[in-house]
DNA sequence: CCACTGAAGAGGGTCAACGG
DNA sequence: CCGTTGACCCTCTTCAGTGG
């Protein structure tokens, strides 16, 4: 632990090795909260990932210390209990020091709530230092005195990379992720601003991958009742969003959907296309044959109205084209019938 | 965010009826 | 007999809803 030459990169590599070495142990500890450790390990190998339960727990072993995690009881949910916890090294390792971290936010509570559409949630953690503790300043060997516990977000002049807790049942998880993305590029660290655009994009992708895996894992473990509630909530959110969207947004959404459909269809093989159309045909036929006589009547009525409207709205040119086609078809039909008659 | 599904509409084709 | 009309069928596209 007391090794000032250890860089953040080295810590990260050691943590990854620790997670890989004792994968089964960490999986059994936290997979029910945030998904499989295997996925987290892969994500950690990429630059700019954030720390969370697995990383903090593994860090205990790497540093041989206890990490006391404190999560403020603001908008506290039951699933956050795990974050108000003392993480200890795996049984075979004896801790020789203690670290305390506080989950926090870079903005004051009012602004954080405003940015998060109401609920408060942390977007990073900071180490807590005792007021009695003497340490070596980064700027010299003086021992400053503090009147109260201090927080320290930067170590060795580099930002401490962390991942905010994200749980599937959080109604605002997506929003929080977006907010985090914003701070990654705006407030948390000025050094992030200096990173290339591709680094930021990669970081965003890592977060999305982690979130996806967590959501997948959480879905696999949820009860039927949880599933029902989740889908119900999502349905309401979607309906509300659509009913509130502007016409411009609606058009944009539909355009995107159309492009996606067209792209999917242009990429499908002849066989896939055949299967898709066959399915659609079956659905149509099934709908029509399963309907009651009344439903059929309504359907035909609607169709009739559409046809009438179509004809009454067509231009003279369109009408002439239609009649010309019809004439040719009639001729062909009659010729065919004549031929059949002579054969009989 | 994306893929998939069901429902409805658009538009081309078929067929029977009708009138010149 | 031929052209036209209207009802209906069939296929494909579009859109809203749903689930992963």
């Amino acid at each position: 632990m007391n090794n000032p030459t250890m860089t953040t990169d080295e810590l990260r590599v050691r943590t990854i090795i620790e997670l890989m070495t004792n994968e089964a142990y960490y999986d059994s500890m936290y997979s029910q909260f945030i998904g499989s450790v295997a996925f987290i390990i892969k994500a950690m190998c990429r630059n700019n990932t954030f720390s969370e339960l697995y990383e903090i727990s593994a860090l205990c072993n790497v540093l041989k210390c206890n990490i006391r995690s404190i999560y403020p009881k603001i908008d506290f949910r039951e699933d956050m209990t795990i974050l108000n916890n003392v993480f200890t090294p795996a049984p075979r390792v004896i801790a020789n020091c203690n670290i305390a971290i506080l989950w926090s936010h870079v903005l004051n509570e009012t602004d954080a709530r405003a940015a998060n559409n109401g609920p408060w949630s942390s977007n990073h953690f900071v180490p807590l230092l005792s007021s009695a503790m003497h340490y070596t300043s980064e700027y010299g060997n003086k021992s400053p005195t503090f009147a109260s516990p201090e927080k320290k977000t930067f170590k060795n002049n580099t930002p401490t990379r962390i991942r905010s807790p994200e749980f599937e049942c959080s109604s605002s998880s997506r929003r929080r992720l977006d907010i985090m993305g914003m701070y990654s590029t705006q407030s948390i660290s000025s050094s992030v601003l200096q990173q290339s655009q591709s680094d930021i994009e990669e970081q965003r992708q890592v977060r999305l991958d982690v979130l996806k895996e967590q959501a997948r894992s959480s879905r696999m473990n949820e009860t039927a009742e949880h599933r029902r509630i989740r889908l119900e909530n999502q349905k309401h959110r979607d309906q509300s969003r659509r009913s509130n969207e502007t016409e411009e947004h609606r058009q944009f959404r539909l355009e995107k959907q159309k492009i996606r459909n067209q792209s999917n269809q242009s990429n499908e093989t002849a066989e896939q296309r055949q299967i898709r159309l066959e399915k659609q045909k079956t659905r149509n036929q099934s709908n029509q044959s399963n309907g009651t006589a009344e439903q059929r009547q309504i359907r035909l009525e609607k169709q009739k109205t559409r046809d009438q409207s179509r004809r009454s709205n067509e231009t003279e040119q369109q009408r002439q084209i239609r009649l010309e086609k019809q004439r040719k078809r009639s001729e062909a039909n009659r010729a065919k019938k004549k031929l059949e008659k002579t054969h009989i």
Side-chain angles (χ1 to χ4, degrees):
Chain A
M1 161 72 186
N2 299 320
N3 181 356
T5 63
M6 193 180 284
T7 65
T8 51
D9 283 341
E10 187 174 350
L11 272 180
R12 180 152 66 103
V13 171
R14 284 171 182 255
T15 306
I16 291 170
I17 293 170
E18 168 61 22
L19 284 171
M20 288 174 74
T21 311
N22 299 303
E23 190 174 332
Y25 168 75
Y26 291 104
D27 231 6
S28 68
M29 294 283 283
Y30 304 112
S31 62
Q32 74 267 34
F33 300 109
I34 51 171
S36 107
V37 67
F39 186 83
I40 299 293
I41 292 171
K42 269 192 268 177
M44 281 178 74
C45 292
R46 297 166 71 176
N47 216 358
N48 302 322
T49 54
F50 292 85
S51 299
E52 209 175 59
L53 292 180
Y54 281 124
E55 292 89 336
I56 293 172
S57 181
L59 207 55
C60 289
N61 259 32
V62 172
L63 299 176
K64 294 186 172 54
C65 67
N66 298 320
I67 298 180
R68 181 185 173 84
S69 165
I70 300 165
Y71 195 93
K73 298 221 166 175
I74 307 173
D75 289 351
F76 199 76
R77 299 190 312 269
E78 202 180 327
D79 55 296
M80 292 167 172
T81 310
I82 187 78
L83 291 167
N84 247 334
N85 191 15
V86 177
F87 295 85
T88 56
R92 59 191 157 72
V93 177
I94 297 162
N96 59 19
C97 64
N98 295 298
I99 293 174
I101 59 171
L102 171 70
W103 292 88
S104 180
H105 199 289
V106 292
L107 298 177
N108 66 46
E109 185 180 341
T110 310
D111 292 342
R113 283 181 185 279
N116 203 21
N117 212 25
W120 185 92
S121 65
S122 79
N123 71 351
H124 73 301
F125 59 66
V126 294
L128 284 181
L129 305 178
S130 158
S131 60
M133 183 177 168
H134 294 267
Y135 72 101
T136 305
S137 159
E138 294 143 321
Y139 306 104
N141 290 328
K142 294 169 190 165
S143 298
T145 55
F146 295 106
S148 60
E150 291 283 333
K151 70 176 189 179
K152 188 181 178 215
T153 43
F154 290 78
K155 185 176 182 179
N156 299 333
N157 288 332
T158 57
T160 312
R161 300 217 173 279
I162 47 91
R163 182 166 62 231
S164 166
E166 290 286 347
F167 297 95
E168 172 66 16
C169 53
S170 163
S171 61
S172 59
S173 61
R174 172 64 55 88
R175 174 168 293 279
R176 241 169 37 220
L177 188 80
D178 292 345
I179 298 294
M180 282 171 59
M182 193 172 84
Y183 290 136
S184 316
T185 55
Q186 289 181 357
S187 310
I188 283 186
S189 88
S190 58
S191 70
V192 171
L193 281 173
Q194 294 158 7
Q195 289 175 349
S196 69
Q197 195 57 40
S198 65
D199 270 1
I200 293 168
E201 181 53 34
E202 188 184 354
Q203 178 179 342
R204 183 177 161 273
Q205 195 51 50
V206 169
R207 283 202 308 277
L208 289 175
D209 288 349
V210 168
L211 196 69
K212 249 188 253 173
E213 169 60 17
Q214 287 174 1
R216 195 186 66 80
S217 169
S218 171
R219 274 198 306 270
M220 282 171 70
N221 293 329
E222 74 186 350
T223 64
E225 179 62 6
H226 271 133
R227 182 169 180 277
R228 192 189 62 73
I229 293 168
R230 176 173 57 79
L231 294 177
E232 191 64 26
N233 285 339
Q234 185 164 350
K235 196 196 294 185
H236 286 148
R237 277 200 304 277
D238 284 349
Q239 283 169 350
S240 157
R241 196 177 57 232
R242 281 177 185 158
S243 67
N244 289 331
E245 73 186 350
T246 63
E247 184 55 27
E248 195 184 356
H249 273 133
R250 182 173 172 275
Q251 287 307 326
F252 180 69
R253 178 172 55 80
L254 294 179
E255 189 60 28
K256 259 175 56 183
Q257 187 170 342
K258 206 189 293 181
I259 289 169
R260 220 170 32 237
N261 282 344
Q262 285 167 351
S263 160
N264 286 344
Q265 289 176 12
S266 69
N267 288 332
E268 70 188 353
T269 64
E271 195 187 359
Q272 284 170 329
R273 177 183 163 80
Q274 204 48 47
I275 291 169
R276 179 173 58 80
L277 295 180
E278 197 59 42
K279 270 183 172 174
Q280 179 69 35
K281 207 190 294 180
T282 313
R283 271 203 305 272
N284 283 346
Q285 285 166 353
S286 159
N287 285 340
Q288 290 173 9
S289 62
N290 288 340
T292 62
E294 194 188 359
Q295 283 170 328
R296 175 184 154 82
Q297 205 45 50
I298 292 168
R299 179 168 53 81
L300 293 181
E301 204 57 46
K302 275 187 181 175
Q303 197 160 350
K304 206 187 293 182
T305 314
R306 273 203 308 275
D307 282 348
Q308 284 166 354
S309 154
R310 199 196 329 174
R311 277 193 293 269
S312 68
N313 287 332
E314 70 187 353
T315 64
E316 184 53 30
Q317 193 186 7
Q318 285 170 329
R319 182 171 176 276
Q320 287 307 325
I321 291 170
R322 182 171 55 80
L323 293 180
E324 174 65 22
K325 280 183 182 173
Q326 185 63 36
R327 205 177 305 144
K328 282 182 180 164
R329 276 198 300 270
S330 290
E331 275 172 21
N333 258 342
R334 285 184 171 125
K336 195 177 153 195
K337 278 191 178 166
K338 208 174 179 180
L339 199 66
E340 281 170 1
K341 217 175 179 180
T342 55
H343 279 166
I344 291 169

